[in-house]
């Protein structure tokens, strides 16, 4: 490997080029989603062991994680604007991996909450610093593709979460699934720290020494730019659907279609992890290619994907035929994460370099507080309290209802697209 450029002291360790750096960052993002979503495939088992309701499980998988994730995100973004982004990501990966392993020792609901708080704090350091590094590594005309490649790590992480949670969880128990899930992050943290250099920042401007000042200036930039404001709202509302589905789809398939935990895990691993990952990666390349001729397509592709996916998802949730339902879901997954790369590439193209980590943290605040906080929690509450009269269909109806938020998000993406010249 050739030696890469690094603005920090790097010792005598080999420094990888930008493709290797992107690979390691994507792998760490994959581990973040592995450790986050192994809970989803384990919800039924955990609920039975601790006698938890759907409302409690939704609170655990949604609100608890979201609050600490977004609160920790802002100081981490400020640190990323001033210091070594590589070291922040490496330290964060170490923290959430250790807390994932410790989840296996939980003895009650409170222990589970504490462990998820720790995982949330750790994962808050995975995205904003990594996005900032990628935007410095790749020029604007390749940035959407690079960020989409990074995002495929989420699909791979979900693949691993459902495989490990499904197969290991059924064979060894859900506790061992968490132990296995937490181990790869420790290795990747070491690889990142000692084989990837800190990219040279595209701007040498001095970042404010006060986190509040950087936050205020970044927030004002987003608020004053109608395109950025609408893209943020579109991202947040899409997050309700994304995380509501990820948290509850395994339980829905097990309950509605009678598949076992291992069968469900394997199916979701192959469909979300592989098919969804290919769709995410191709969407970034397509957005860059179409955007070269008409810049509006960089956001327009998100609108097309949302419109095309909704009928397929509603069919999956409401049709009783298992084969047809799973086929519709598989097709819909090719468009499941199309929004990520284009949204953050759009953000990074309209803010100053030194604002990118904090602006990303603000977007993630909206995405996670609204998406993670509301999505799983509302689905669980609606299943237990609003649609409980529908019996075994209550969860599917609750999930179908939450997808209306995606149509609202589509309108915001449309408004953001109108601001592109």
């Amino acid at each position: 490997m050739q030696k890469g450029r690094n603005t920090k002291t790097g010792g005598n360790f080999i420094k990888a080029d930008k493709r290797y750096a992107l690979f390691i960052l994507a792998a760490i993002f994959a581990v973040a989603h592995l450790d986050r979503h192994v809970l989803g495939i384990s919800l039924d088992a955990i609920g039975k062991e601790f006698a938890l309701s759907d409302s409690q499980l939704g609170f655990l998988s949604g609100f608890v994680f979201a609050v600490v994730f977004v609160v920790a995100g802002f100081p981490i973004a400020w640190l990323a604007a001033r210091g070594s982004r590589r070291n922040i990501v490496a330290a964060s990966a170490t923290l959430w991996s250790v807390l994932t392993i410790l989840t296996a020792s939980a003895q009650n609901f409170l222990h589970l909450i504490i462990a998820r708080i720790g995982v949330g704090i750790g994962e808050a350091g995975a995205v904003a610093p990594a996005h900032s590094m990628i935007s410095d590594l790749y020029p604007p005309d390749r940035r959407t593709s690079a960020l989409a490649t990074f995002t495929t790590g989420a699909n791979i992480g979900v693949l691993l979460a459902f495989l490990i949670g499904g197969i290991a969880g059924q064979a060894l128990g859900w506790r061992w699934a968490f132990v296995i899930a937490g181990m790869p992050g420790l290795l990747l943290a070491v690889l990142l720290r000692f084989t990837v250099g800190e990219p040279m920042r595209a701007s040498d401007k001095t970042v404010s020494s006060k986190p509040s000042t950087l936050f205020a200036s970044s927030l004002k930039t987003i608020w004053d730019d109608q395109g950025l404001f609408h893209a943020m709202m579109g991202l947040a509302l899409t997050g309700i659907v994304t995380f509501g589905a990820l948290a509850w789809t395994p339980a829905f398939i097990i309950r509605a279609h009678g598949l076992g935990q291992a069968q469900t895990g394997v199916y979701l691993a192959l469909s979300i992890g592989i098919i969804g990952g290919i769709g995410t990666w191709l969407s970034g390349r397509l957005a860059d290619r179409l955007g070269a001729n008409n810049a509006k397509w960089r956001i327009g592709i998100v609108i097309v994907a949302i419109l095309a996916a909704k009928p397929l998802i509603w069919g999956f949730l409401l049709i009783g035929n298992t084969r047809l339902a799973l086929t519709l879901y598989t097709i819909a997954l090719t468009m499941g994460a199309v929004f990520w790369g284009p949204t953050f590439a759009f953000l990074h193209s309209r803010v100053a370099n030194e604002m990118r980590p904090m602006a990303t943290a603000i977007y993630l605040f909206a995405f996670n507080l609204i998406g993670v906080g509301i999505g799983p929690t509302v689905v669980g509450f609606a299943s237990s309290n609003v649609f409980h009269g529908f019996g075994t269909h209550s969860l599917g109806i609750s999930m179908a209802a939450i997808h209306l938020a995606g149509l609202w998000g589509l309108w915001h993406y449309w408004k953001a697209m109108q601001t592109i010249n």
Side-chain angles (χ1 to χ4, degrees):
M1 291 182 292
Q2 69 186 52
K3 291 186 178 182
R5 183 170 53 184
N6 183 15
T7 59
K8 304 294 180 184
T9 58
N12 296 317
F13 297 105
I14 296 173
K15 303 304 178 184
D17 64 16
K18 62 185 178 183
R19 288 173 296 178
Y20 175 74
L22 179 60
F23 171 79
I24 293 295
L25 290 172
I28 287 178
F29 196 48
V31 169
H33 281 264
L34 161 61
D35 293 355
R36 181 186 303 189
H37 296 298
V38 71
L39 177 67
I41 191 67
S42 307
L43 277 182
D44 257 16
I46 293 172
K48 290 175 182 177
E49 178 170 335
F50 295 113
L52 304 177
S53 68
D54 280 357
S55 294
Q56 289 174 299
L57 292 173
F59 178 77
L60 179 67
S61 59
F63 186 78
V64 169
F65 181 90
V67 169
V68 295
F69 185 97
V70 298
V71 169
F74 293 119
I76 290 173
W78 175 74
L79 289 173
R82 293 171 55 82
S84 172
R85 296 160 292 182
R86 176 201 62 191
N87 292 352
I88 291 171
V89 177
S92 298
T94 301
L95 176 61
W96 83 63
S97 298
V98 170
L99 266 296
T100 298
I101 294 172
L102 290 178
T103 303
S105 63
Q107 298 300 311
N108 52 50
F109 186 52
L110 178 59
H111 290 170
L112 291 170
I113 290 176
I114 294 171
R116 293 305 287 176
I117 288 173
V119 172
I121 293 172
E123 291 194 16
V127 182
H131 273 202
S132 179
M133 290 175 68
I134 292 168
S135 287
D136 281 339
L137 287 168
Y138 287 86
D141 62 340
R142 296 182 58 196
R143 194 169 290 151
T144 303
S145 298
L147 287 171
T149 299
F150 172 76
T151 307
T152 59
N155 296 92
I156 296 170
V158 171
L159 180 155
L160 294 172
F162 289 147
L163 275 181
I164 293 171
I167 297 175
Q170 182 167 307
L172 303 173
W174 68 267
R175 296 179 186 276
W176 274 107
F178 277 82
V179 172
I180 295 170
M183 295 175 66
L186 299 176
L187 173 61
L188 286 169
V190 173
L191 285 176
L192 178 67
R193 174 61 183 83
F194 295 118
T195 69
V196 174
E198 172 73 13
M200 180 174 289
R201 297 181 188 270
S203 172
D204 291 324
K205 294 180 181 180
T206 302
V207 178
S208 170
S209 60
K210 295 182 178 180
S212 58
T213 302
L214 182 59
F215 170 80
S217 59
S218 301
L219 181 61
K220 185 177 187 302
T221 297
I222 293 172
W223 186 265
D224 291 343
D225 185 321
Q226 287 299 298
L228 292 180
F229 171 78
H230 282 293
M232 181 179 69
M233 291 303 299
L235 178 73
L237 291 164
T238 302
I240 294 176
V241 176
T242 299
F243 289 107
L246 279 173
W248 286 105
T249 294
F252 167 74
I253 292 176
I254 292 170
R255 297 179 192 179
H257 297 287
L259 272 66
Q261 184 174 342
Q263 286 178 297
T264 301
V266 171
Y267 164 72
L268 290 174
L270 296 176
S271 56
I272 296 178
I274 297 177
I275 296 174
I278 291 172
T280 301
W281 179 74
L282 287 176
S283 70
R285 297 183 66 85
L286 184 60
D288 274 340
R289 177 166 295 186
L290 294 175
N293 297 319
N294 184 345
K296 289 183 182 292
W297 271 110
R298 296 188 187 277
I299 291 295
I301 194 171
V302 177
I303 297 170
V304 172
I306 293 174
L307 282 173
K310 288 306 170 197
L312 300 172
I313 288 294
W314 280 324
F316 160 66
L317 293 170
L318 301 176
I319 291 175
N321 183 287
T322 299
R323 181 174 296 178
L324 178 57
L326 296 183
T327 299
L328 293 175
Y329 185 63
T330 302
I331 297 171
L333 285 174
T334 61
M335 297 163 275
V338 167
F339 64 91
W340 188 273
T343 301
F344 283 97
F346 178 70
L347 169 66
H348 289 191
S349 70
R350 294 168 79 118
V351 299
N353 176 273
E354 65 271 14
M355 285 186 182
R356 283 176 185 163
M358 186 61 76
T360 298
I362 292 171
Y363 263 44
L364 290 174
F365 174 87
F367 183 60
N368 286 284
L369 185 63
I370 296 176
V372 183
I374 293 178
T377 305
V378 168
V379 169
F381 177 83
S383 178
S384 292
N385 300 284
V386 179
F387 300 113
H388 63 279
F390 290 89
T392 57
H393 299 290
S394 65
L395 182 56
I397 294 172
S398 299
M399 293 174 67
I402 208 72
H403 274 270
L404 293 173
L407 297 179
W408 185 5
L410 182 150
W411 179 81
H412 282 288
Y413 274 118
W414 174 264
K415 296 292 289 185
M417 187 181 72
Q418 301 310 304
T419 68
I420 301 175
N421 297 321

